């Protein structure tokens, strides 16, 4: 066994912040960054209090941070409302008439909501929630496409202190059911459908399927998006537009404790059950506010476009809350990047004169494959800053993004963070930190990141190890919803007092971080985390499957691809048809993103004498090009197993 994680990527190119960018930026030099970073580490309370004071508090906090590892309280005693900070705060200036949300639907329909309009809609919808007896602390599932109503619903929950849990629109009925059960949600907010690659995703039907058996849900509010025929369950389902008839727009923001829960977002861990990551109000707000301000150096006149779906954490922090907390204009796009043609993003950039674009490496690799001609057709000169998130970006994709999209003039911020961290933690600041393609560079203010070996000792330059964070930060997760023990065990037990990210990384001689990827059994497919065991449980729930092992293999487009090794029950025939059926089965249980790229049938799964599946062996097999002619024949790993066991 290697005790360290190897990292072979050596990239020497350095890109300094362009002078004119640096001159106008809030943080203008490496020296200034280092000064502020030192202050944020040496005097965190002072640093964060200064950031927090730029926001609206209804009662002052008593203590900036209280740390009883692994439980943190930020701005304890303080009272505030996040929707007030995202909306009402901007209504006293000319900002009230600027666009808060610019939205484009996949079919090409468009809407603009000014801060004043958004405030009006949020207040009305918050009153709809109240009318349905939804109040402080109640959990609400939001299962919507990336449409303004998603932001409205989130902000309306925040306004009354309800806890939202957004479920990605690509997830299936089973995923919704699990999340309802785990969170004990009382309501679901959904739409009749959403558009994806020209087709309608039947969101409401998925909700109906999820609610077939008794659950905690008492009401379903349905937004009419596509107009397709929709079953409405008497006494449970109501139309969004119908409900608005009964309410007015007067809804004062609820006074909430700084540690009041804001949202639960489910994410994959290394065991089968998704983890409900819990974020709270005050620290999260300060975190998204200041990362948005410094990392994107966002300005009042900017159009900021984060292409993430609202169902992921990036959509929470940098489509909705971060931009709005800063009074910025956020652009939302509902659909696929290649609909109706592969230049949809560039059309949008040109038409709205987007200034800051934040997207994922997997999308960038797709654009490269689709060809430069799609980019060349459009004027992208409005762009001034680019960002990436979700997975390591390969240097060549970085260079392409820099040249072809950024015209060589835009800095790129490669931002490392997680659902758990709530905000960006390792990142360049665009006017201050020179970038190296493929590196997320240096820690953000207040972030004490380190790379350690198995024993927890910090490793030297260019030695791989585990990435940990050595002290709390404002937007950190507070717990796993309903499972404190799992929270402790998963994140804080390996190196007590330190947060375990689950990522491997190295630091170079300049202290720059290079993230290698996940070290636990979690795959990163097209920037989305998928637990291998979740996919395995989905496979085993099929009547023909006896056992399954899922591993990742390198994939040029998606970062990682999903390979499933499956043993069938006696009498079940391995056929092509069954492979397809199993892929669809996973699609139906989790969602299309989790569908295995390849299903391989095996006589038996390779196991050690103690009965552990030999994942490393399977990974090697999955990455190898050795696929025998007839791929439906059962593979026999017994020889390989014997070989491997004599090695270990
Ligand atoms: C990976 C998404 C390298 C990493 C915000 C992390 C990255 C996981 C980067 C979190 C990056 C995210 N460079 N890897 N810039 N950003 N990752 O929870 O493995 O969906 O642990 O949050 O994505 O994924 P999650």
């Amino acid at each position: 066994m290697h005790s360290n994680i190897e990292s072979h990527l050596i990239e020497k190119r350095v890109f300094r912040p362009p002078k004119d960018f640096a001159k106008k930026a809030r943080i203008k030099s490496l020296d200034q960054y280092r000064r502020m970073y030192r202050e944020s580490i040496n005097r965190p309370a002072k640093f964060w209090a200064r950031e927090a004071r730029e926001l609206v508090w209804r009662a002052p906090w008593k203590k900036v941070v209280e740390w009883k590892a692994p439980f943190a309280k930020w701005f304890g005693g303080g009272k505030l409302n996040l929707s007030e900070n995202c909306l009402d705060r901007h209504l006293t200036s000319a900002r009230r008439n600027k666009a808060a949300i610019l939205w484009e639907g996949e079919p090409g329909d468009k809407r603009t909501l000014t801060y004043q309009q958004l405030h009006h809609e949020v207040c009305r919808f918050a009153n709809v929630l109240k009318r349905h007896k939804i109040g402080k602390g109640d959990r609400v599932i939001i299962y919507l496409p990336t449409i303004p109503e998603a932001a409205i619903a989130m902000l309306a929950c925040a306004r009354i202190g309800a806890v939202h849990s957004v479920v990605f629109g690509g997830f299936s009925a089973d995923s919704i059911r699990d999340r309802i059960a785990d969170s004990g949600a009382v309501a679901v907010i959904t739409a009749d459908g959403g558009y994806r690659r020209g087709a309608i995703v039947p969101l409401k039907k998925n909700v109906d399927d999820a609610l077939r058996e008794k659950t905690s849900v008492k009401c379903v509010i349905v937004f009419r998006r596509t107009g397709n025929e929709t079953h409405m369950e008497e006494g449970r389902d109501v139309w969004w537009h119908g409900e608005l008839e009964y309410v007015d727009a007067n809804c004062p923001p609820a006074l909430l404790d700084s540690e009041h829960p804001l949202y639960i977002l489910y994410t994959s861990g290394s065991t089968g059950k998704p983890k409900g990551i819990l974020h709270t109000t005050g620290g999260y707000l300060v975190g998204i506010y200041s990362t948005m301000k410094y990392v994107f150096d966002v300005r009042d006149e900017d159009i900021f476009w984060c292409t993430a779906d609202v169902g992921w954490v990036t959509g929470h922090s940098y489509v909705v809350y971060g931009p709005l907390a800063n009074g910025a204009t956020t652009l939302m796009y509902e659909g696929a990047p290649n609909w109706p043609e592969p230049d949809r993003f560039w059309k949008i950039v040109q038409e709205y004169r987007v200034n800051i674009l934040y997207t994922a490496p997997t999308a960038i690799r797709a654009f490269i494959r689709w060809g430069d001609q799609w980019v060349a057709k459009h004027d992208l000169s409005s762009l001034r800053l680019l960002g990436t998130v979700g997975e390591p970006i390969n240097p060549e994709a970085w260079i392409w993004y820099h040249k072809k999209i950024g015209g060589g003039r835009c800095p790129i911020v490669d931002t490392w963070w997680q659902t758990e961290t709530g905000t960006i933690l390792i990142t360049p600041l665009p006017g201050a930190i020179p970038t190296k393609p493929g590196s997320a560079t240096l820690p953000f203010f207040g972030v004490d990141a380190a790379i350690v070996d198995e024993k927890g000792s910090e490793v030297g330059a260019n030695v791989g190890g585990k990435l940990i964070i050595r002290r709390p930060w404002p937007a950190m997760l507070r717990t796993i919803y309903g499972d404190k023990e799992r929270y402790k065990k998963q994140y804080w037990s390996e190196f007590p007092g330190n947060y375990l990210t689950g990522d491997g990384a190295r630091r170079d001689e300049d202290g720059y971080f290079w993230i290698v990827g996940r070290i636990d059994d979690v795959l990163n497919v097209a920037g989305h985390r998928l637990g291998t065991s979740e996919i395995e449980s989905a496979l085993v729930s099929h009547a023909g499957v006896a056992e399954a092992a899922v591993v990742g293999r390198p994939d040029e487009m998606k970062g990682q691809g999903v390979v499933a090794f499956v043993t069938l029950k006696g009498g079940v025939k391995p056929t092509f048809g069954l492979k397809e059926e199993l892929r669809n089965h996973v699609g139906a249980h989790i969602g299309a993103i989790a569908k295995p790229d390849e299903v391989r049938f095996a006589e038996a799964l390779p196991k050690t004498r103690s009965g552990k599946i030999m994942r490393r062996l399977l990974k090697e097999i999955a990455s190898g090009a050795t696929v025998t002619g007839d791929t439906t024949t059962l593979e026999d790993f017994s020889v390989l197993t014997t070989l491997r066991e004599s090695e270990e």
Side-chain angles (χ1 to χ4, degrees), residues 389-392 414-419 503 515 518 524 529:
V389 58
E391 52 178 318
D414 172 352
T415 63
W416 177 89
W417 59 297
Q418 309 177 299
T419 306
D503 279 0
I515 312 293
R518 307 287 304 170
N524 190 324
R529 274 161 69 177

Side-chain angles (χ1 to χ4, degrees), residues 57-83:
W57 295 80
R58 291 291 165 196
W61 59 84
K62 293 201 172 69
K63 197 156 184 219
V64 171
V65 54
E66 194 182 305
W67 179 227
K68 291 198 183 113
F71 298 100
K73 282 192 182 144
W74 282 87
F75 306 104
K79 286 194 189 290
L80 76 163
N81 186 288
L82 196 130
S83 91

Side-chain angles (χ1 to χ4, degrees), residues 265-268 277 312-315 318 358 361 388-393 413-424 426-427 438-440 467 499 501-504 513-520 522-524 527-530:
L265 186 58
Y266 287 85
T267 189
S268 293
I277 303 301
W312 307 113
V313 73
T314 311
Y318 300 107
Y358 188 33
T388 68
V389 58
E391 52 178 318
I393 182 163
V413 288
D414 172 352
T415 63
W416 177 89
W417 59 297
Q418 309 177 299
T419 306
E420 292 86 343
T421 70
T423 49
I424 295 166
I426 302 179
T427 178
S439 170
L467 175 65
Y499 170 79
T501 65
D503 279 0
F513 285 83
W514 298 77
I515 312 293
V516 187
R518 307 287 304 170
I519 44 182
D520 49 19
V522 176
L523 308 180
N524 190 324
H528 300 307
R529 274 161 69 177
L530 299 172

Side-chain angles (χ1 to χ4, degrees), residues 198-215:
I200 291 178
V201 184
L203 297 170
K204 175 60 165 57
K205 185 180 171 296
N206 292 345
V207 171
D208 289 342
D209 289 347
L211 297 180
R212 209 166 280 153
E213 267 137 50
K214 199 174 156 39
T215 69

Side-chain angles (χ1 to χ4, degrees), residues 28 41 134 147 184 254 339 346 349 360 362 444 486 489 549 616:
K28 299 177 196 323
I41 292 295
I134 297 164
I147 55 177
W339 188 267
W346 318 125
V349 168
T362 186
F444 185 72
R486 192 175 173 200
K489 190 157 171 275
R616 202 139 59 85

